[in-house]
Amino acid sequence: MSPDDITGGRGRRHYTRGVGRWEPGAGDRLREAALTLYLERGFEQTMVADIADRAGVTARTFFRYFADKREVLFDRSAELERSALAALEAAPATASTLEAVAAALSAAADLIGQDRELARKRQAVIMSTADLRERELIKLADLSAALAEGLRRRGVPAAEAALATEAGSAVYRVAFQRWVDTEDGTLDLHEAIRQSFAQLHTLTTPH
Amino acid sequence: MSPDDITGGRGRRHYTRGVGRWEPGAGDRLREAALTLYLERGFEQTMVADIADRAGVTARTFFRYFADKREVLFDRSAELERSALAALEAAPATASTLEAVAAALSAAADLIGQDRELARKRQAVIMSTADLRERELIKLADLSAALAEGLRRRGVPAAEAALATEAGSAVYRVAFQRWVDTEDGTLDLHEAIRQSFAQLHTLTTPH
């Protein structure tokens, strides 16, 4: 799925509310403006009106795209969970438990890995505010729980399912951090995940 | 370290505040009373006065032990982090990265693993309240970050340190859940952790 698909999906969803004209590209401009302001001034100090101003739209338009200023950072969570879960469910029956988890992470990387600068800014904002960090941790825990449930539906025992998704979550977070920290853009998120899985295997091999 | 050491330590700390007589065993009675009430009535619906009543002490005594009703659930976090970090630092230089993490988890299990019923109740309360769950996730993430920093001081590269502690955290959480879910008490927390480490190795081995 491409970022255009996502934007298109969101655009259509909001358009059907019928509260006014949907402005092409406004969602992305608002997201960009919000992240820049959150980093410049701090999340708490940034008002919705500032974000709308910077994006060249009205506050009313902002609320057509996002419920509040926090949702700018989290509105893709549901999409991410759906994609990851669908990939896990689509993994062949012969796939090992961790291969099914890897398929889910790969789907997540398809979405997140498109724009490193956006991801880097979002991460910096989230880590700077305790409240946002808590919310991010809850979202990741919920995603992990949803994937574990998906594994159990595939017949994987509960403890193995939990361990595989928690380990997958660890792999993803570490790979994500390496990816956003690689300034020159030579590391792809998919490749970072693959490397972290390999490293996890090496780490867990008794010496 | 035994639970008596912890209680003794806490008692001494509070005694030095000089706000009144320190009552032997009151901390444990308050903890027990609080967990029981949180489970019976819900965390939000339980007042400090109810907890003190149930434990047979005054509210003033409650506040000698805990800053507020949330702290009953989290006051051992600092102790846990210190013990886990000390164990990681005391691991021999020849220990592998994951062996050092395993030593830290073992120290955590020494503290937590003493009382399965207490741990089970605490977990049930925390999972029932979004706010508490967020706090627990933050505490676990902070613990994981502290251990990763400890590994880096041992010369472990940052990405490997993060992956090892995140994977260790996954192992711990899954093992903890299995331990509290094993009603007949036949599973020891240390043994549950050992089994989860072995399972993680199996999971990450390519087929």
Side-chain angles (χ1 to χ4, degrees), chain A residues 96-98 133-134 137-138 141-142 159-160 162-164 166-167 170 173-174 178 196 199-201 203-205 207, chain B residues 96-98 133-134 137-138 141-142 159-160 162-163 166-167 170 173-174 178 196 199-201 203-205 207:
Chain A
S96 71
T97 300
L98 214 64
R133 197 176 153 225
E134 284 183 5
L137 285 171
I138 284 274
D142 288 345
E160 181 180 330
L163 189 59
E166 291 285 332
R173 277 173 289 163
V174 173
R178 282 179 53 229
S196 287
Q199 186 166 40
L200 182 62
H201 170 62
L203 274 174
T204 59
T205 301
H207 294 246
Chain B
S96 71
T97 300
L98 215 65
R133 195 175 155 227
E134 284 184 4
L137 286 171
I138 284 273
D142 286 346
E160 181 179 331
L163 189 59
E166 292 285 334
R173 276 173 289 163
V174 172
R178 282 180 51 231
S196 287
Q199 187 166 39
L200 182 62
H201 170 62
L203 275 173
T204 59
T205 302
H207 293 245

Side-chain angles (χ1 to χ4, degrees), chain B residues 70-82:
Chain B
R70 206 168 66 160
E71 272 310 294
V72 178
L73 300 163
F74 295 105
D75 70 316
R76 282 176 172 165
S77 305
E79 176 81 33
L80 190 69
E81 186 171 315
R82 270 195 303 278

Side-chain angles (χ1 to χ4, degrees), chain B residues 180-191:
Chain B
V180 295
D181 288 346
T182 305
E183 304 265 334
D184 60 6
T186 50
L187 182 67
D188 173 87
L189 180 53
H190 287 96
E191 175 59 17

Side-chain angles (χ1 to χ4, degrees), chain B residues 13 75 78 94 98 116 122 160 169 205:
Chain B
R13 263 205 311 285
D75 70 316
T94 54
L98 215 65
R116 200 185 68 86
R122 179 183 178 278
E160 181 179 331
S169 179
T205 302

Side-chain angles (χ1 to χ4, degrees), chain A residues 85 88-89 91 95-102 104 144-166, chain B residues 203:
Chain A
L85 197 53
L88 182 135
E89 284 167 352
S96 71
T97 300
L98 214 64
E99 281 165 356
V101 171
S144 183
L147 293 177
E149 207 182 300
L151 285 175
R152 289 198 297 275
R153 282 195 299 269
R154 289 171 68 96
V156 176
E160 181 180 330
L163 189 59
T165 55
E166 291 285 332
Chain B
L203 275 173

Side-chain angles (χ1 to χ4, degrees), chain B residues 75-149:
Chain B
D75 70 316
R76 282 176 172 165
S77 305
E79 176 81 33
L80 190 69
E81 186 171 315
R82 270 195 303 278
S83 297
L85 197 54
L88 183 135
E89 285 168 350
T94 54
S96 71
T97 300
L98 215 65
E99 280 164 357
V101 171
L105 298 191
S106 183
D110 283 344
L111 287 175
I112 305 294
Q114 301 280 353
D115 192 336
R116 200 185 68 86
E117 195 49 26
L118 190 80
R120 192 191 63 73
K121 283 185 182 171
R122 179 183 178 278
Q123 177 75 353
V125 172
I126 284 174
M127 294 308 285
S128 71
T129 307
D131 188 47
L132 298 175
R133 195 175 155 227
E134 284 184 4
R135 190 171 170 90
E136 174 80 344
L137 286 171
I138 284 273
K139 293 265 184 191
L140 288 172
D142 286 346
L143 175 57
S144 184
L147 294 177
E149 209 183 299

Side-chain angles (χ1 to χ4, degrees), chain A residues 93-170:
Chain A
T94 54
S96 71
T97 300
L98 214 64
E99 281 165 356
V101 171
L105 298 191
S106 183
D110 283 345
L111 288 175
I112 305 293
Q114 302 279 353
D115 192 336
R116 199 183 67 86
E117 195 49 26
L118 190 81
R120 192 191 62 75
K121 283 184 181 171
R122 177 182 178 279
Q123 177 77 352
V125 172
I126 284 174
M127 293 308 286
S128 72
T129 309
D131 187 48
L132 298 175
R133 197 176 153 225
E134 284 183 5
R135 191 173 170 89
E136 174 80 343
L137 285 171
I138 284 274
K139 293 265 184 190
L140 287 173
D142 288 345
L143 174 56
S144 183
L147 293 177
E149 207 182 300
L151 285 175
R152 289 198 297 275
R153 282 195 299 269
R154 289 171 68 96
V156 176
E160 181 180 330
L163 189 59
T165 55
E166 291 285 332
S169 178

